Amino acid sequence: MATKISQPSGVTSSTPAAEGGLPLPRRLRRLRRSATVRSLARETRLSPDMFIYPLFVCEGDGVRREVSSMPGVFQLSVDEAVGEAAAARADGVPGVLLFGLPGQKDSIGSSAYDPEAPVQRAVRAIKQAIPECLVITDVCLCEYTSHGHCGILRGEEIVNDATVEQLVRTALSHASAGADIVAPSDMMDGRVGAIRTALDTRGYEQVAIMSYAAKYCSAFYGPFREAAESAPAFGDRRTHQMDPANSEEALREVELDIEEGADIVMVKPALTYLDVIWRVKTEFGYPTAAYHVSGEYAMLKAAARNGWIDEPRAMMETLTAIRRAGADIVITYYAREAARALA
Ligand code: PBG
């Protein structure tokens, strides 16, 4: 009888199964009885050394300007960025991902490869003050172009190969400043291979590439564009970033980036693409990063500020889910908070 199987756990039959009575329930609750046994049986663990902390670096000195849609996240001048990187290290976070807010923008994003621009200066300053801090730089043009698009425009179209040349210049300038890893986030075709070749032929063969391999055209980048002042002046990013409906295509993107020389592949955003993280990790077995993006962070912050969710628990549950899906590396604005919570 089916009712025997579905009896509430803890209710046992008076006649043991061995004597032909009701079957005894499988008692999965045994491993949930105490914090100690739950910890022993835990399948997924978080640790601060898998987090990367994004920083927005701007011009000036002593600047620390909070981003209104991202409480706890600031536009920082180089000196402040060094302090923030040191604080992250003290919390156990191994490294930072740098984004730049240049003093001036033009149609081809030339300040992206200016050796005196905020990112290049921040790389040098952080590596000098904290040599062991892993410094990763975001390589894209959208923060540097006057029109806010990720590349060079012909009419309203982003020209792929001319853009790749600008990305190569940018990656080389980050490498020459001392970046450990460059992270192209533009989604142009062929940029990983072009950057790898340029790095190798200029003596930067030890600089790694973390490619934003499966980067979706997502509504969750909204707060970032306020932080990085990089919203497109017209149109959107649908002609280069991926359609949220696709995952087979994500595997093709990842495969290509690996073939072209990516050392780490990234899926972005994280929560709405947990299935993609899982597929990428299981199909390729490559070091896999997931970016818990600005909008994902902002949603939690907003709900917490309204008293609608328990923020520390929601943060940990979110990061655990990203890890459980297969991410080895989690890029998150919560890096410091989560690292402290884990300590
Ligand atoms: C592009 C870039 C973006 C993000 C990281 N790199 C924005 C975009 O594609 O418009 C978004 C990160 C986030 O939302 O936290 N340089």
Side-chain angles (χ1 to χ4, degrees):
M1 275 180 280
T3 49
K4 288 176 186 167
I5 300 163
S6 60
Q7 67 181 329
S9 68
V11 178
T12 54
S13 63
S14 48
T15 316
E19 294 169 30
L22 299 173
L24 294 171
R26 297 274 312 278
R27 296 189 188 278
L28 298 186
R29 289 180 60 193
R30 281 183 203 116
L31 297 186
R32 298 177 202 149
R33 291 183 73 215
S34 68
T36 312
V37 77
R38 284 193 296 275
S39 171
L40 194 70
R42 190 157 296 138
E43 298 172 29
T44 306
R45 287 174 206 279
L46 289 172
S47 138
D49 58 14
M50 65 182 60
F51 298 144
I52 295 293
Y53 189 42
L55 296 179
F56 298 97
V57 192
C58 62
E59 300 277 2
D61 211 43
V63 180
R64 202 177 166 79
R65 209 179 297 124
E66 192 163 29
V67 179
S68 65
S69 54
M70 300 176 73
V73 173
F74 300 82
Q75 295 178 341
L76 305 165
S77 52
V78 171
D79 55 319
E80 292 284 333
V82 173
E84 196 65 30
R89 288 282 310 181
D91 290 334
V93 176
V96 294
L97 171 60
L98 302 182
F99 296 94
L101 289 95
Q104 50 197 21
K105 307 188 183 204
D106 60 26
S107 65
I108 60 166
S110 60
S111 51
Y113 44 88
D114 174 355
E116 293 308 317
V119 164
Q120 285 81 352
R121 285 196 290 118
V123 172
R124 291 195 295 268
I126 293 170
K127 288 311 277 188
Q128 190 180 6
I130 327 156
E132 64 284 5
C133 182
L134 195 67
V135 176
I136 310 174
T137 55
D138 186 88
V139 177
C140 190
L141 299 182
C142 61
E143 295 126 61
Y144 303 93
T145 51
S146 40
H147 41 70
H149 281 287
C150 304
I152 300 215
L153 296 179
R154 189 191 300 128
E156 297 202 348
E157 193 189 333
I158 300 173
V159 187
N160 194 90
D161 298 3
T163 300
V164 169
E165 287 176 26
Q166 293 293 77
L167 296 166
V168 165
R169 287 192 182 98
T170 306
L172 282 173
S173 118
H174 294 171
S176 102
D180 300 293
I181 303 178
V182 292
S185 68
D186 51 282
M187 290 296 279
M188 295 298 118
D189 291 323
R191 90 283 205 214
V192 172
I195 290 172
R196 184 70 271 159
T197 304
L199 290 172
D200 287 353
T201 52
R202 304 291 207 294
Y204 301 116
E205 65 282 346
Q206 295 303 326
V207 173
I209 298 177
M210 175 167 78
S211 77
Y212 288 68
K215 177 175 178 177
Y216 286 88
C217 189
S218 170
F220 293 100
Y221 307 151
F224 172 95
R225 293 179 189 166
E226 182 202 339
E229 301 174 4
S230 64
F234 60 88
D236 53 43
R237 309 220 197 284
R238 285 176 214 273
T239 69
H240 51 107
Q241 299 181 347
M242 278 187 52
D243 186 324
N246 297 353
S247 64
E248 296 294 340
E249 187 190 359
L251 299 186
R252 289 198 289 277
E253 282 284 5
V254 169
E255 185 178 22
L256 269 176
D257 283 5
I258 290 173
E259 274 171 22
E260 290 180 30
D263 301 283
I264 300 168
V265 288
M266 190 205 296
V267 175
K268 175 192 173 192
L271 273 192
T272 38
Y273 301 93
L274 292 176
D275 58 323
V276 180
I277 298 172
W278 175 259
R279 291 191 71 184
V280 166
K281 185 63 196 178
T282 50
E283 294 257 345
F284 299 99
Y286 237 65
T288 302
Y291 199 144
H292 181 239
V293 302
S294 57
E296 305 181 77
Y297 173 84
M299 285 196 296
L300 291 177
K301 284 284 171 193
R305 297 220 152 178
N306 279 298
W308 294 339
I309 53 163
D310 175 339
E311 187 182 14
R313 285 187 57 201
M315 168 181 77
M316 284 314 203
E317 187 174 331
T318 299
L319 297 173
T320 300
I322 297 168
R323 170 81 185 125
R324 198 187 62 235
D328 305 296
I329 300 163
V330 184
I331 301 164
T332 175
Y333 303 97
Y334 272 123
R336 289 193 58 199
E337 268 181 82
R340 287 198 298 266
L342 288 166

